[in-house]
Amino acid sequence: MTDTTAIPPTPAHITHADGRVEPAPGAVPDDSPFVNADLLPVPVARRRWTTYNFAALWVGMAHNIPSWLLASGLIALGMDWKQAVFTIGLANVIVLLPMLLTGHAGPKYGIPFPVLARASFGLRGANLPALIRAGVACAWFGIQTWIGGQGIFVLLGKIFGGWTDVAVVGGQPWTLWLCFVVFWVLELAIIYRGMETLRRFENWAAPFVIVGAVVLLVWIAIKAGGFGPLLDQPSKLGWGADFWTVFFPSLMGMIAFWSTLSLNIPDFTRFGAGQRAQIWGQTLGLPTTMTLFALLSVFVTSGSQAVYGAPIWDPVQLAAKTDNVFGLLFALVTVLIATISVNIAANVVSPAYDLANLAPRFINFRRGALITGVVGVLIMPWKLTETPELYIFTWLGLVGGLLGTVAGILIADYWVVRRTRLEPADLYHPGGRYWYASGWNWRAVAAFVVGGVLAVGGSHSQPGKGPFPEDGLIPFLKPLADYGWAVGLAASLLLYTLLMLPERRGLTDR
């Protein structure tokens, strides 16, 4: 049973006329080991992000090289442009739903993801999903930073002769390492200035990146002799069994791409001026932008196939084929802004909060961001983008299965068990209603383990295409592997709801 012996006196919160809630003065103990300034609820007066801010955030995050590689990777796997856009558009409509459901707690309570996870996993148990999310973000940070550094290196090599013909250090030209380090420092410098700086950066970066992508499309269309050749490239898969074999794991991979944000979207929506701002901002920003960018990507990749005889799925490598200095400089700036825009928003903000949740007394938001930057380099994850199979099926499939499992638990707890009613002060209060057994809710852990095994236990790879056995890690679960995100989310949601039924009455807030 839940230990409620140390619950603060009621009322412990203030509910405003628009439904937004904040702790009453003095309700959150200052000496709690689960408190620091970055994890506390954002005061209602500071929750002022508008619909445009959220839409611009998504435009800035969606227009980046890894997003481009998703769509162009589907062309490289044999789809035509209609199949690729259909796959990506459907995936982003699907992933929008958990994004809105978990994002609801942000404007209402002003809390970040790891604090929201305390309601289901417990004050200590929340470190389990937080560290999983942080680990994934650190890997993504490394991938994005390496891609951005490579982009700068390639484009500068076209502008300045001899830039690439230099001494090799650690298997790479030292000028590539220099581009990587400079890019890494620039990213951390922006995020170190805080969320308000990030909001302003996203506002102007978003339209600039759109213009850059359109310029690349116009250039390849001119090279191809018009838009006709871009649309005429046939599917190598057809619409039969060969297509569906690729479609379902690709769909899960596309969903998995933003399944990270479906967990920690409260890190951003906690600054929202209200539910309308986050709902409309995300709805206008995510599926529409990703689908538009997918169209640009597949058209350009199809055009590269028409012009060069093979699909070039990396936009940096494609841009480097021009000899126009102005075009190269423009591509360089676009790559720089696009990669910074998504990396600091999607892959630094979350682990900064997650690591702060691990040790609030010692790690604040800025220190968490710096740790993320260091870990993202040390784990050297750039090999994950070497092939479409490894990038989409192995990396995104595995990540999607695990994060879908966490999302299922968060949604079940917040919407089914608690009906969106939380006591924000107790999210920081040892011994309160979210303390469970010494800070851990075993029901959430059990649902995570079962859902995770079902989601990723059947992970498999074609011979020579990935790290898993051809028959799957757990052979009888292999049929579920292509649907990992959906399996993980559904299984954990149902199991957590069932396990919490005996406690439902005692855990009802207010």
Side-chain angles (χ1 to χ4, degrees):
M1 297 296 290
T2 303
D3 179 6
T4 59
T5 58
I7 292 179
T10 54
H13 62 269
I14 300 169
T15 302
H16 295 262
D18 60 2
R20 291 185 290 176
V21 179
E22 58 186 344
V28 177
D30 294 332
D31 59 347
S32 170
F34 300 95
V35 171
N36 73 21
D38 296 310
L39 296 177
L40 286 173
V42 175
V44 167
R46 288 177 46 212
R47 301 178 202 173
R48 55 176 182 261
W49 282 34
T50 65
T51 297
Y52 177 78
N53 293 141
F54 286 113
L57 176 75
W58 274 114
V59 172
M61 289 198 296
H63 292 98
N64 62 86
I65 296 175
S67 289
W68 185 285
L69 296 180
L70 284 180
S72 59
L74 294 180
I75 298 296
L77 289 171
M79 292 188 184
D80 64 17
W81 72 270
K82 297 183 291 294
Q83 293 169 330
V85 172
F86 168 70
T87 303
I88 291 173
L90 178 61
N92 284 282
V93 169
I94 293 172
V95 82
L96 177 65
L97 181 58
M99 200 82 68
L100 296 177
L101 291 176
T102 54
H104 184 278
K108 184 170 184 179
Y109 296 103
I111 54 176
F113 155 65
V115 175
L116 174 62
R118 292 174 181 179
S120 51
F121 283 84
L123 269 70
R124 288 176 174 154
N127 286 316
L128 173 62
L131 288 178
I132 291 172
R133 174 64 184 95
V136 171
C138 288
W140 270 121
F141 179 82
I143 291 172
Q144 293 267 19
T145 304
W146 182 253
I147 288 175
Q150 274 189 318
I152 296 171
F153 171 77
V154 170
L155 295 173
L156 286 179
K158 290 285 292 184
I159 297 172
F160 302 109
W163 178 260
T164 57
D165 300 324
V166 296
V168 173
V169 177
Q172 303 290 348
W174 70 263
T175 46
L176 174 55
W177 291 116
L178 177 62
C179 293
F180 175 64
V181 171
V182 169
F183 192 70
W184 178 80
V185 170
L186 182 59
E187 289 175 314
L188 292 185
I190 293 175
I191 196 62
Y192 193 78
R193 295 181 61 86
M195 291 294 289
E196 186 62 20
T197 299
L198 172 61
R199 181 179 70 87
R200 292 196 297 266
F201 180 82
E202 295 291 349
N203 283 348
W204 70 266
F208 184 89
V209 176
I210 294 176
V211 172
V214 172
V215 168
L216 189 59
L217 173 63
V218 172
W219 172 70
I220 197 66
I222 293 173
K223 294 278 288 184
F227 285 94
L230 277 63
L231 304 176
D232 290 341
Q233 298 301 313
S235 170
K236 298 177 182 177
L237 303 174
W239 286 95
D242 290 342
F243 169 72
W244 297 110
T245 300
V246 174
F247 169 76
F248 285 109
S250 296
L251 180 68
M252 292 300 107
M254 301 304 106
I255 292 173
F257 189 78
W258 289 124
S259 65
T260 50
L261 267 294
S262 70
L263 296 188
N264 74 285
I265 194 65
D267 294 344
F268 301 95
T269 61
R270 66 191 299 229
F271 297 95
Q275 295 299 340
R276 182 185 296 271
Q278 74 99 3
I279 291 172
W280 280 106
Q282 293 204 80
T283 302
L284 294 173
L286 172 58
T288 55
T289 302
M290 282 295 290
T291 303
L292 173 62
F293 203 54
L295 275 169
L296 290 173
S297 174
V298 297
F299 287 167
V300 171
T301 306
S302 294
S304 71
Q305 185 168 346
V307 173
Y308 299 107
I312 301 175
W313 73 307
D314 186 339
V316 173
Q317 298 294 334
L318 183 59
K321 287 187 173 292
T322 181
D323 292 322
N324 184 287
V325 175
F326 175 79
L328 286 167
L329 285 172
F330 183 79
L332 177 64
V333 175
T334 302
V335 167
L336 188 72
I337 293 175
T339 308
I340 291 176
S341 178
V342 67
N343 217 15
I344 60 179
N347 302 320
V348 178
V349 173
S350 173
Y353 284 125
D354 297 337
L355 293 168
N357 188 72
L358 179 65
R361 295 285 187 88
F362 305 102
I363 304 175
N364 59 18
F365 180 84
R366 286 181 170 86
R367 289 174 184 168
L370 293 176
I371 293 171
T372 299
V374 173
V375 174
V377 173
L378 292 178
I379 59 180
M380 298 182 295
W382 40 81
K383 288 186 176 294
L384 292 172
T385 58
E386 284 185 337
T387 67
E389 293 86 0
L390 197 61
Y391 179 50
I392 294 175
F393 296 158
T394 301
W395 167 241
L396 290 177
L398 186 65
V399 165
L402 292 178
L403 298 183
T405 301
V406 176
I409 295 170
L410 295 183
I411 293 169
D413 184 78
Y414 184 70
W415 286 95
V416 180
V417 175
R418 305 187 190 282
R419 309 293 175 89
T420 77
R421 296 190 297 271
L422 300 174
E423 181 51 70
D426 272 6
L427 293 169
Y428 306 87
H429 200 287
R433 68 195 71 196
Y434 310 116
W435 188 240
Y436 300 104
S438 299
W440 287 81
N441 182 6
W442 67 266
R443 299 164 187 83
V445 175
F448 172 77
V449 171
V450 173
V453 170
L454 291 175
V456 305
S459 297
H460 56 92
S461 303
Q462 294 296 323
K465 298 287 187 179
F468 301 120
E470 185 176 2
D471 294 331
L473 292 172
I474 304 176
F476 75 91
L477 293 178
K478 182 178 178 180
L480 300 180
D482 290 346
Y483 315 93
W485 179 84
V487 169
L489 186 143
S492 63
L493 188 152
L494 291 174
L495 180 57
Y496 181 81
T497 301
L498 291 173
L499 291 174
M500 290 295 287
L501 282 177
E503 300 292 317
R504 173 73 175 84
R505 185 174 181 180
L507 289 173
T508 301
D509 299 279
R510 294 196 298 277

